[in-house]
Amino acid sequence: MSAPAVARTLPSWARWVAPIGTGVIGLALWVLYVDVLQAAPLMLPSPIAIGEELVLRWDIIWEDMLITASNALIGLAAGSLIAVMFAAIAATFRPVDGMLAPIVAALAVIPIVAITPILNTMFGASSQFGRQAVAGLTAFIPVFVNVLRGLHQTTPVHRDLFRSIGATGEQTFRKLTFPTALPYLTTGLRIASSLAVISALVAEYCGGPADGIGTAIASYAKSGHAALAWAYVVGGILIGLAFFLVTAALEWWATRRAPA
Amino acid sequence: MTVTTPAVRADAVGKVFPTKTGEVTALTDVQLDVAPGEFVSLIGPSGCGKSTLLRLIADLDAPTSGTLEIFGKPAAKARHDQDYGIAFQQAGLLPWRTVGENIGLPLEIHGKDKRQRADRVAELAELVGLTDFVDSHPDQLSGGMQQRVAIARSLAEQPRLLLMDEPFGALDEMTREYLQSELTRIAAETHAAVVFVTHSIPEAVFLSDRVVVMSPRPGRITEIVDVGLPDERDEQLREAPEYYDGVTAVREALHGTTTARPNER
Amino acid sequence: MTVTTPAVRADAVGKVFPTKTGEVTALTDVQLDVAPGEFVSLIGPSGCGKSTLLRLIADLDAPTSGTLEIFGKPAAKARHDQDYGIAFQQAGLLPWRTVGENIGLPLEIHGKDKRQRADRVAELAELVGLTDFVDSHPDQLSGGMQQRVAIARSLAEQPRLLLMDEPFGALDEMTREYLQSELTRIAAETHAAVVFVTHSIPEAVFLSDRVVVMSPRPGRITEIVDVGLPDERDEQLREAPEYYDGVTAVREALHGTTTARPNER
Amino acid sequence: SSSESEEEPTTSASGTTEDFEPLTSVSLQLQWLPQAQFAGYYVALDQGYFEEEGFTDVEIIPSGGDIVPQDALVAGDVDFAVAWVPKVLGTLEATGVELTDIAQVFHSSGTLQVAWADSGIESVADFEGKRIGSWGFGNEWEIFAAMAAEGLDSTTVEITTQDFSMNALLDGDVDAAQAMTYNEWAQVLEVVNPETGELYQPEDFTVISYEDTEGAMLQDAIWADTARLESDPAYADAAVRFLKAITKGWLYARDNPEDAAAIVYDYAVNAELAYPVGPTHQLWMMNETNKLIWTGDDFGVIDSAAWDKTVAGALSATNQDGLNLITTEPADSAYSNEYIEAALAALEEEGVDVSGDYTEIDVTLTEGGQ
Amino acid sequence: MRGAKGLGWGILGVLSLILLWEGYKLVGPAEGVVVGDDGSAGSGTILLPRTHERAMPHVWDMAARLFESTSGGDSPPLIVSVANAALLTLGIAALGLVIGVTVGMALGLVMQRWRLAEWGLLPWIIVSQTVPLIAFAPVINSIGNQIDRGGTPWPQWLSVAVIASYLAFFPVAVGALRGLESPDRIHLDLMKSYAAGYRTTLLKLRLPASVPHLLPALRLGAANAVLGVVVAEVSIGMRGGLGRMLIQLAGQASGDPAAPWGPIFGSVVLGLIAAGSIAVLGVGLKKYRRGEASA
Ligand SMILES: Nc1ncnc2c1ncn2[C@@H]1O[C@H](COP(=O)(O)OP(=O)(O)OP(=O)(O)O)[C@@H](O)[C@H]1O
Ligand SMILES: Nc1ncnc2c1ncn2[C@@H]1O[C@H](COP(=O)(O)OP(=O)(O)OP(=O)(O)O)[C@@H](O)[C@H]1O
Ligand SMILES: [Mg+2]
Ligand SMILES: [Mg+2]
């Protein structure tokens, strides 16, 4: 029970120092495990070595980051757009909701490694399309689920109000239903953003043009360049974080005025 | 319009809700006329159909029997013509809109141009005493202020009929008394007829020309109390004997008809 | 314990909340004694510190100045000794527990054995008239019934002091009047002292021996009205002149001190 | 052919008692899932050749997606590993570990680049500006080495990472796809040509074999831990016995390709719960694998010229990131014929005929390889 | 009644999807619809997918393929191999989920108990999910082998379960934190007024109140565990599970395009079973979800 009481006495700088402290401790343990004890397998290099590679090879890592990030972004945008459309249809026509339910549930559990080759065959192995499609597909799920929920969140009093002032269906959607669903959309986007990056990256690993973070990670991990491979992993994390932070900011902006 | 056309005329109105466990008769045989400019309160225990009746008048639901006329027209037409304004227990403001934008919502929906809208919003904000807050968001307002925004919104189209479903139910007593005075002032200024749902006997008496007392199972009107207080309603009145008489009259009408067993309260 | 030890003694109690935008003085210099078995209401406009004072008494918060004694002990000790029972505006029932399990929660936490617990729960359910509902879940109950469960729960440990923060605030007026009568009966039966927060003047008058009137900015006691009604409080009383006198006295005490500007309501 | 070496290894072959306890349990890490490419090892297991060499417990560990045989060997997870020479050279330089190629199972490269017959791609020189398929992960070095030998810039080709199927070629997503003679090439020929309704025919494609280019590199080899070979006589002894057993296995596979293919297939399906492409495909693979092993040289003996060619290719090749596979010559310890020669000598002593050639068989592919 | 109706619509949905697939296959061009193709390989953007057999096998071919032998010879029918592999994968996923839930709950409890822990850990927990599984699956496998060599038996499936738990723990940790913090102030005040300690409050209030948050988290965690096991199996090539079967059959996708769909269906069914089993758990915990309807 003392938790909230303690929280109040914590200085505000602890907010920033705590995660940094955790990071420093984590890095120290890592260095201890790899460099001092030398107990780690070769595949797990020291963070120092990773940092060196990151600096040394930043230009090629950056190039691949751009490719993976753009694939993830295109997938995220397209997947979200389609998800919003489907959610709007499902919210309007109940049966469609029921019809989509099993398909969405199944999509949510399809392994990326399984569908990427199929998408590559369907859409061409030499285009980035397969990756974008995979990113889109993974982004679709959380956006669809959240927007659909959001579209059902209008309160009876608001619905009554719009009816009482004789608003048309289109006006009700634009001025009530959509703004109500907006915070849900941004929550969905936030969840989808990290997933899109991860899945674009994993898709690269399953074929397609020989570029992007995922391809590089696998290539270098398999040729003994563990530190370089992990430098690429850091690149992937940076993309994921960038996506997360942008969408989290968006979510914060949208939920600011949301009803409690 | 002739003076004799009532603002609301309910003739043998009934409402039955089909539910999973059978039919619920929410209202039977409701007979009620509200004159233009008249202030009528609906009072009665929970579930007696007050809200249902109000929603029928507002054409938010359709009656299953009987007829309803608003200024001589069918309820649906009255709704489309914006003959009434409505306010609910929850203020029901859109949180992403400012106070001004909330007040102006009906005008916006009906395509009033920006200039006209701004003028009217300023006027309404003034009326409810929120001029300084037009650019605030609802979450920055107290409950009483939010409810005043909702009332301003319901007045936006200058309706001749105001429908209010426990608009002060969620407020504390002191704010409530204050808003009651405001409402009588506004109703007088706008010459609108008001149908006002409440749980509070003092509130009903303080505000109304007539108090409609209802009883549940099935919901029906059991008595209509003519309050007979002067048109001017001020704070003095709350301590006046006529007022206490009105309260006693409504209490008795109500208790005579209250059949709810304690366990179901 | 001697008869002279008050149930609650607040001596120069003050409470300041540190907030992001500076300090908020919620209470200053509160001086209050509540005698055992006495029924005291706290009334005042929103934000005047009623809840804060109650929470200090319950040791849910600590005062920043002054001293508080409950039956002669520090508030924290009284809390650990379970000297008081508490009820809030929301019933605050645990939705996954049945009515019986909710009533028995404090007993369960204090390790009373199952048998004893069952007996006491049955007794309490009887007291609040919910014997038929002990196995129901809260969501199957009306708001008034839920609030009665909460009251039963606050009585579980036979406290000599009952703390209630607007327990009937969310209920409709008729249920409210009914529960007020119930509460006076229960308070009389259990001989508990009651500190009762309310917004409603009639409620405060109907229930209390003394009404403590508070005013905000900073929260302080401005007047204590001795109601002086007979111990027996029944429905008749609500129409009695002494009752109206009490209401008028409290209203005047309140309005004389209300400094809130309309815009902030 | 016969053994040219007269020198006895420092540690003797099995049978002699030395001052160490002979290893009876060893493990071998493969570089992919069980299939006829690895027939010799499974045959040795099936025919009891390992037992004959004193091993009571031999584990053959298939690899999946990310398990790198040389890494498993370095980590000590296994005693021996099958891996391609250039990939191991890359790892050796990048990590600074030491491994030794103790037997070169494949004497020639089985890598092809397959293009449509009408594509105009006839040689590596035609790659420039084209989209070239490769599995990546180390399989691309022959392409880059061959291009480097032609003076071509590796950044002028666009590489598409092929997945496990040959659809990228069939759908025209790449101009030329990588294929192993023994596996993917057959997969292409197991597909029905929608125009004819029959399987695709070799004439439908142009095939560039890296064996014919300067990019050819040594492939499947048996690798051992260098330091352990030097310090642990039991391990060195086991290496020789292990090589004896697998030599016998591969000899069996050479002489009985049908049986050997069936043995691997059975083992894969029943013991490994792996589902390789069907029996006819395995037979094709057995046939092609035998061709890569039995080129007329002694089994397993590393040809220094081929080794040097591989090293030269590895030194010259740069990938699309502009990085080199290796920048310096590998250590001398990176290969040694000592063990395989000892094994062959011991086998001859025991009367096993390690000479002889492989006679190709005719394999008719079926749809889907089943 | 409503369940049956929902099922009906669901079946209709799946049928429409099949119809869409076959319908498009019927009318769509074999090479798809490509724009911006300059004649060279792999150029242009495909707007509509290819419809030939290798890209979009007939649904009935996929179904029929399930009953043919997995890889010719005397190998069992595909459906049997898939079922066997799915069982193994499911078992490992269950273990992965257990590990994930244990770790996730522990983190949730710690973060709820100490605000400083929440500040220190939560950002890293979020960052952890941006690290791709394929990057560290081999590391885990390798550490597992190290432990195994060190004398403590560490079978490969344990590594797979640990890798899967990495995906499973995340929603649980976040859901537990949110759930444990979900009780209303009024309930916390009530417990304080009873002078209840941390343990009592946890058992009587926080844990029961967290159920509505935990169930969706568990459902996500279960689905993630299955996905994680499949990826881990692919990555470290563990024998017997769906993951390796997926890559193995993908290897014959050119000549036998319907084959890879077997394990794909298998893993989808598995994911649904995993998520569905949480729904069953939810029924068992129904009384803790009474608040949900109103929310
Ligand atoms: N949509 C509905 N479906 C089914 N029954 C309904 C519906 N709306 C109202 N009812 C029922 O009709 C009856 C009257 O309800 P109504 O809301 O009008 O009562 P009320 O007088 O406004 O009560 P309260 O004072 O609690 O607001 C109740 O028994 C209620 O359960
Ligand atoms: N935890 C807190 N932190 C900061 N300020 C607080 C806190 N609790 C209360 N206050 C402030 O203290 C003052 C008194 O609050 P309190 O809740 O006691 O008023 P109240 O009389 O109970 O009002 P109401 O009738 O609305 O319940 C208010 O100005 C409030 O904003
Ligand atoms: Mg109502
Ligand atoms: Mg309060």
Side-chain angles (χ1 to χ4, degrees):
Chain A
M1 283 315 303
S2 54
V6 170
R8 245 175 267 128
T9 62
L10 282 176
S12 58
W13 48 259
R15 260 224 100 103
W16 301 104
V17 171
I20 293 169
T22 313
V24 169
I25 293 170
L27 275 180
L29 289 176
W30 188 353
V31 170
L32 182 76
Y33 178 51
V34 179
D35 291 322
V36 182
L37 299 178
Q38 309 244 322
L42 276 180
M43 275 153 248
L44 185 66
S46 139
I48 300 164
I50 297 173
E52 284 169 0
E53 286 287 351
L54 192 64
V55 173
L56 188 67
R57 309 271 184 221
W58 176 251
D59 40 347
I60 57 171
I61 295 175
W62 175 246
E63 257 172 57
D64 284 318
M65 277 172 72
L66 287 182
I67 288 173
T68 303
S70 63
N71 284 341
L73 188 65
I74 292 171
L76 179 63
S80 307
L81 211 67
I82 296 169
V84 170
M85 271 161 45
F86 271 80
I89 297 170
T92 320
F93 307 101
R94 267 275 141 130
V96 176
D97 190 0
M99 285 165 68
L100 285 175
I103 298 166
V104 170
L107 273 184
V109 292
I110 281 195
I112 296 166
V113 287
I115 44 159
T116 307
I118 286 170
L119 287 171
N120 276 341
T121 304
M122 284 172 74
F123 291 99
S126 284
S127 79
Q128 301 284 356
F129 191 95
R131 288 136 185 211
Q132 293 158 359
V134 170
L137 219 53
T138 30
F140 174 87
I141 310 288
V143 176
F144 175 82
V145 170
N146 277 284
V147 171
L148 184 57
R149 188 181 308 156
L151 290 175
H152 285 143
Q153 295 301 313
T154 55
T155 55
V157 54
H158 285 150
R159 286 198 299 271
D160 282 349
L161 174 72
F162 272 73
R163 188 173 151 86
S164 77
I165 55 183
T168 62
E170 187 256 326
Q171 283 174 325
T172 308
F173 182 82
R174 232 165 17 123
K175 301 206 185 262
L176 175 63
T177 317
F178 182 72
T180 307
L182 193 63
Y184 292 83
L185 169 63
T186 53
T187 300
L189 279 178
R190 196 235 317 137
I191 301 168
S193 67
S194 320
L195 288 178
V197 174
I198 281 276
S199 46
L201 204 151
V202 173
E204 287 167 2
Y205 162 91
C206 303
D211 50 21
I213 294 282
T215 311
I217 292 173
S219 284
Y220 292 116
K222 287 180 183 180
S223 59
H225 295 86
L228 181 53
W230 279 94
Y232 271 98
V233 172
V234 173
I237 293 174
L238 291 178
I239 301 173
L241 273 186
F243 273 57
F244 174 82
L245 290 176
V246 170
T247 48
L250 211 63
E251 185 186 18
W252 172 84
W253 168 81
T255 47
R256 222 169 14 137
R257 300 264 175 235
Chain B
M1 181 171 316
T2 60
V3 192
T4 52
T5 313
V8 177
R9 158 159 290 170
D11 187 17
V13 164
K15 175 75 188 175
V16 176
F17 287 107
T19 65
K20 269 170 286 180
T21 54
E23 297 196 328
V24 171
T25 306
L27 283 179
T28 41
D29 195 30
V30 168
Q31 208 75 35
L32 181 69
D33 274 20
V34 177
E38 190 187 19
F39 201 118
V40 170
S41 286
L42 307 182
I43 199 167
S46 199
C48 69
K50 304 181 291 299
S51 297
T52 304
L53 180 54
L54 202 78
R55 293 173 58 81
L56 295 184
I57 297 174
D59 188 42
L60 297 176
D61 272 326
T64 34
S65 60
T67 55
L68 248 171
E69 282 181 3
I70 313 297
F71 297 112
K73 336 179 210 185
K77 173 132 181 46
R79 175 166 68 85
H80 282 287
D81 293 352
Q82 292 296 298
D83 281 332
Y84 69 82
I86 192 164
F88 305 94
Q89 175 159 14
Q90 292 98 39
L93 306 182
L94 301 178
W96 54 87
R97 287 176 161 247
T98 62
V99 165
E101 287 164 354
N102 265 292
I103 296 178
L105 178 71
L107 304 169
E108 198 178 314
I109 295 278
H110 300 121
K112 290 278 183 312
D113 75 41
K114 222 165 161 173
R115 179 60 146 296
Q116 270 178 302
R117 228 155 67 201
D119 292 349
R120 179 80 183 129
V121 166
E123 209 177 301
L124 288 161
E126 171 87 55
L127 183 74
V128 296
L130 287 176
T131 303
D132 293 349
F133 292 85
V134 273
D135 293 325
S136 305
H137 277 90
D139 57 356
Q140 299 167 317
L141 268 51
S142 72
M145 289 157 84
Q146 291 187 18
Q147 204 49 265
R148 281 188 277 156
V149 177
I151 292 172
R153 183 179 59 191
S154 71
L155 295 169
E157 302 266 28
Q158 294 175 291
R160 291 171 295 160
L161 173 63
L162 260 180
L163 305 176
M164 311 188 107
D165 194 352
E166 300 188 53
F168 309 144
L171 305 179
D172 69 77
E173 189 122 329
M174 272 140 284
T175 309
R176 201 165 166 159
E177 289 190 358
Y178 169 75
L179 285 185
Q180 286 163 9
S181 308
E182 288 288 285
L183 180 59
T184 50
R185 176 179 64 78
I186 290 168
E189 278 181 32
T190 59
H191 304 290
V194 184
V195 180
F196 190 94
V197 172
T198 179
H199 269 122
S200 162
I201 304 171
E203 181 167 276
V205 172
F206 181 79
L207 290 171
S208 316
D209 298 315
R210 287 190 296 156
V211 176
V212 175
V213 179
M214 298 175 69
S215 88
R217 268 171 233 105
R220 65 193 185 288
I221 297 177
T222 49
E223 205 171 321
I224 299 185
V225 177
D226 225 317
V227 175
L229 291 176
D231 271 3
E232 181 74 30
R233 311 275 160 118
D234 56 17
E235 291 302 306
Q236 306 300 300
L237 188 67
R238 293 193 197 271
E239 294 170 12
E242 316 88 274
Y243 171 66
Y244 288 130
D245 291 347
V247 169
T248 304
V250 173
R251 160 164 292 114
E252 277 169 5
L254 209 47
H255 282 238
T257 62
T258 301
T259 56
R261 286 161 297 148
N263 261 346
E264 295 190 355
R265 273 178 185 166
Chain C
M1 183 168 311
T2 59
V3 193
T4 53
T5 314
V8 177
R9 158 159 291 170
D11 187 18
V13 165
K15 175 73 187 174
V16 176
F17 288 108
T19 65
K20 267 168 288 179
T21 52
E23 297 196 330
V24 172
T25 306
L27 283 177
T28 40
D29 196 31
V30 169
Q31 208 77 35
L32 180 69
D33 273 21
V34 178
E38 190 186 18
F39 201 118
V40 169
S41 287
L42 308 181
I43 199 167
S46 196
C48 70
K50 304 181 293 295
S51 298
T52 303
L53 180 53
L54 202 80
R55 293 173 57 82
L56 295 183
I57 297 174
D59 189 44
L60 296 177
D61 271 325
T64 33
S65 60
T67 56
L68 248 170
E69 282 182 5
I70 313 296
F71 297 111
K73 333 178 211 183
K77 175 134 180 43
R79 174 165 68 86
H80 282 283
D81 293 351
Q82 292 297 298
D83 281 333
Y84 68 82
I86 192 163
F88 304 94
Q89 173 159 14
Q90 291 95 40
L93 306 182
L94 300 178
W96 56 87
R97 288 176 161 248
T98 62
V99 166
E101 287 165 353
N102 265 293
I103 296 178
L105 178 68
L107 304 168
E108 195 180 316
I109 287 183
H110 300 120
K112 290 282 182 309
D113 75 41
K114 220 165 163 171
R115 178 61 147 294
Q116 271 178 299
R117 229 155 65 200
D119 292 349
R120 180 78 183 129
V121 166
E123 210 176 300
L124 288 162
E126 172 86 54
L127 183 72
V128 296
L130 287 176
T131 305
D132 293 349
F133 292 84
V134 273
D135 293 324
S136 305
H137 277 90
D139 56 1
Q140 300 167 316
L141 269 52
S142 72
M145 290 156 84
Q146 292 187 18
Q147 203 49 265
R148 280 188 277 157
V149 177
I151 292 171
R153 182 178 61 187
S154 71
L155 295 168
E157 307 251 42
Q158 294 174 292
R160 292 171 295 160
L161 173 62
L162 259 180
L163 305 176
M164 310 188 107
D165 194 352
E166 300 189 54
F168 309 144
L171 305 179
D172 70 75
E173 189 123 331
M174 274 140 281
T175 309
R176 201 163 167 162
E177 289 190 357
Y178 168 77
L179 286 184
Q180 286 164 7
S181 307
E182 288 289 283
L183 181 59
T184 50
R185 178 180 62 79
I186 292 168
E189 276 180 32
T190 59
H191 305 290
V194 183
V195 180
F196 189 95
V197 172
T198 180
H199 269 122
S200 161
I201 304 170
E203 180 166 276
V205 173
F206 181 79
L207 291 171
S208 316
D209 298 314
R210 286 190 297 157
V211 177
V212 174
V213 179
M214 299 176 67
S215 87
R217 267 169 234 106
R220 66 195 186 285
I221 297 176
T222 49
E223 204 171 323
I224 299 185
V225 178
D226 226 316
V227 175
L229 290 178
D231 271 3
E232 183 72 31
R233 310 275 161 118
D234 55 18
E235 291 302 308
Q236 307 300 299
L237 188 67
R238 294 193 197 269
E239 295 170 11
E242 315 90 274
Y243 170 68
Y244 288 131
D245 290 347
V247 169
T248 303
V250 174
R251 159 163 294 115
E252 277 169 4
L254 208 49
H255 282 238
T257 62
T258 301
T259 56
R261 286 161 294 148
N263 260 346
E264 294 190 356
R265 273 183 184 160
Chain D
S1 61
S2 61
S3 170
E4 295 157 29
S5 166
E6 304 301 305
E7 261 181 23
E8 274 292 313
T10 46
T11 53
S12 63
S14 68
T16 52
T17 30
E18 297 267 338
D19 52 349
F20 58 83
E21 191 70 30
L23 292 181
T24 56
S25 153
V26 288
S27 53
L28 172 69
Q29 174 73 55
L30 302 183
Q31 55 189 335
W32 194 238
L33 297 157
Q35 53 186 1
Q37 180 190 359
F38 309 114
Y41 321 117
Y42 286 107
V43 167
L45 202 61
D46 183 72
Q47 296 291 308
Y49 298 150
F50 287 120
E51 274 107 344
E52 287 173 23
E53 297 304 329
F55 296 111
T56 52
D57 173 23
V58 174
E59 200 185 353
I60 299 176
I61 303 168
S63 155
D66 297 330
I67 299 305
V68 181
Q70 60 268 32
D71 288 351
L73 179 58
V74 170
D77 295 342
V78 291
D79 300 300
F80 303 104
V82 178
W84 286 15
V85 173
K87 297 188 195 181
V88 179
L89 292 183
T91 300
L92 295 186
E93 179 170 310
T95 60
V97 295
E98 276 194 291
L99 298 177
T100 302
D101 177 353
I102 57 168
Q104 188 61 45
V105 181
F106 287 10
H107 280 135
S108 58
S109 164
T111 314
L112 307 175
Q113 205 74 33
V114 180
W116 289 99
D118 59 6
S119 67
I121 296 177
E122 302 290 339
S123 70
V124 174
D126 300 323
F127 284 0
E128 241 179 345
K130 297 291 188 199
R131 201 179 279 279
I132 303 299
S134 164
W135 301 294
F137 313 145
N139 294 295
E140 69 278 27
W141 292 111
E142 283 183 303
I143 304 176
F144 295 137
M147 289 185 69
E150 299 272 336
L152 304 173
D153 180 359
S154 68
T155 55
T156 62
V157 297
E158 282 194 76
I159 299 286
T160 288
T161 308
Q162 292 172 215
D163 59 23
F164 310 110
S165 75
M166 290 304 283
N167 287 345
L169 172 71
L170 296 172
D171 287 326
D173 292 334
V174 294
D175 291 295
Q178 219 169 25
M180 301 308 295
T181 54
Y182 46 82
N183 194 3
E184 289 79 7
W185 175 227
Q187 279 181 28
V188 172
L189 302 177
E190 285 162 357
V191 176
V192 174
N193 181 349
E195 276 160 35
T196 62
E198 307 280 320
L199 296 185
Y200 280 113
Q201 296 302 310
E203 308 83 79
D204 296 330
F205 304 95
T206 318
V207 171
I208 298 162
S209 170
Y210 285 98
E211 183 58 23
D212 305 335
T213 71
E214 285 305 304
M217 295 196 187
L218 289 170
Q219 300 182 338
D220 290 26
I222 307 288
W223 294 85
D225 186 319
T226 312
R228 211 173 143 204
L229 282 175
E230 279 161 12
S231 64
D232 181 358
Y235 181 61
D237 162 69
V240 175
R241 287 186 287 126
F242 183 79
L243 290 181
K244 282 175 70 185
I246 64 164
T247 306
K248 287 195 264 183
W250 281 115
L251 283 169
Y252 180 96
R254 180 191 72 185
D255 299 333
N256 314 282
E258 282 92 354
D259 285 357
I263 287 170
V264 185
Y265 180 74
D266 266 9
Y267 191 89
V269 170
N270 297 318
E272 271 293 334
L273 297 175
Y275 298 99
V277 193
T280 57
H281 185 89
Q282 296 305 320
L283 186 58
W284 168 288
M285 188 182 290
M286 188 69 260
N287 188 33
E288 294 298 324
T289 302
N290 274 331
K291 290 189 210 166
L292 299 177
I293 298 172
W294 309 103
T295 53
D297 295 331
D298 289 345
F299 174 83
V301 175
I302 300 137
D303 171 23
S304 60
W307 178 271
D308 290 343
K309 186 178 172 187
T310 300
V311 171
L315 282 167
S316 69
T318 56
N319 71 0
Q320 58 290 25
D321 285 337
L323 303 186
N324 281 90
L325 172 52
I326 55 173
T327 53
T328 53
E329 299 257 351
D332 289 341
S333 65
Y335 82 91
S336 161
N337 277 327
E338 179 181 337
Y339 305 92
I340 184 66
E341 281 169 354
L344 293 178
L347 283 173
E348 259 177 303
E349 225 165 84
E350 290 167 24
V352 177
D353 182 8
V354 297
S355 66
D357 282 321
Y358 174 62
T359 324
E360 277 184 43
I361 56 168
D362 237 359
V363 181
T364 312
L365 288 171
T366 56
E367 185 181 354
Q370 311 245 314
Chain E
M1 171 62 207
R2 260 195 66 204
K5 215 164 147 188
L7 190 69
W9 283 118
I11 291 170
L12 202 67
V14 174
L15 287 179
S16 330
L17 186 67
I18 293 174
L19 219 64
L20 193 71
W21 179 273
E22 289 296 337
Y24 173 67
K25 188 172 160 58
L26 195 67
V27 300
E31 293 312 317
V33 176
V34 190
V35 292
D37 186 357
D38 59 11
S40 70
S43 61
T45 309
I46 296 206
L47 292 182
L48 288 172
R50 298 165 177 153
T51 60
H52 57 64
E53 286 305 311
R54 274 177 294 104
M56 294 177 71
H58 281 294
V59 173
W60 45 86
D61 286 340
M62 299 178 200
R65 183 65 184 81
L66 288 174
F67 299 94
E68 289 162 18
S69 112
T70 307
S71 68
D74 57 354
S75 54
L78 181 57
I79 194 166
V80 174
S81 315
V82 168
N84 285 333
L87 270 181
L88 180 70
T89 299
L90 183 63
I92 301 173
L95 179 62
L97 181 62
V98 168
I99 300 173
V101 168
T102 311
V103 172
M105 280 304 289
L107 283 171
L109 283 167
V110 166
M111 287 192 291
Q112 187 278 316
R113 183 83 169 88
W114 294 285
R115 182 59 52 89
L116 197 63
E118 181 189 334
W119 291 348
L121 290 176
L122 196 55
W124 293 105
I125 289 176
I126 291 166
V127 169
S128 78
Q129 297 302 299
T130 62
V131 181
L133 219 54
I134 50 164
F136 71 87
V139 176
I140 302 286
N141 182 51
S142 175
I143 293 175
N145 286 337
Q146 231 176 28
I147 296 171
D148 194 50
R149 276 200 311 281
T152 320
W154 187 280
Q156 211 174 22
W157 51 259
L158 199 51
S159 295
V160 173
V162 168
I163 295 164
S165 73
Y166 184 82
L167 286 189
F169 96 94
F170 176 70
V172 178
V174 174
L177 175 61
R178 207 171 289 161
L180 291 171
E181 284 191 337
S182 69
D184 296 337
R185 163 109 183 254
I186 184 174
H187 288 138
L188 293 170
D189 280 349
L190 199 65
M191 296 309 277
K192 189 175 179 194
S193 82
Y194 297 149
Y198 170 74
R199 229 179 70 94
T200 312
T201 310
L202 184 67
L203 290 179
K204 304 269 179 209
L205 179 60
R206 290 192 189 274
L207 278 178
S210 68
V211 168
H213 293 263
L214 274 179
L215 282 174
L218 283 176
R219 201 172 54 224
L220 250 181
N224 280 356
V226 171
L227 290 178
V229 169
V230 171
V231 173
E233 283 174 348
V234 169
S235 178
I236 74 178
M238 204 198 78
R239 92 179 47 153
L242 273 178
R244 203 175 76 176
M245 195 166 176
L246 269 170
I247 47 169
Q248 196 126 40
L249 294 189
Q252 34 185 300
S254 295
D256 189 2
W261 287 94
I264 291 179
F265 290 142
S267 49
V268 167
V269 169
L270 211 56
L272 294 179
I273 289 175
S277 59
I278 301 299
V280 173
L281 183 71
V283 172
L285 294 172
K286 211 169 61 189
K287 73 169 176 173
Y288 296 106
R289 304 168 61 199
R290 283 182 163 270
E292 263 175 71
S294 61

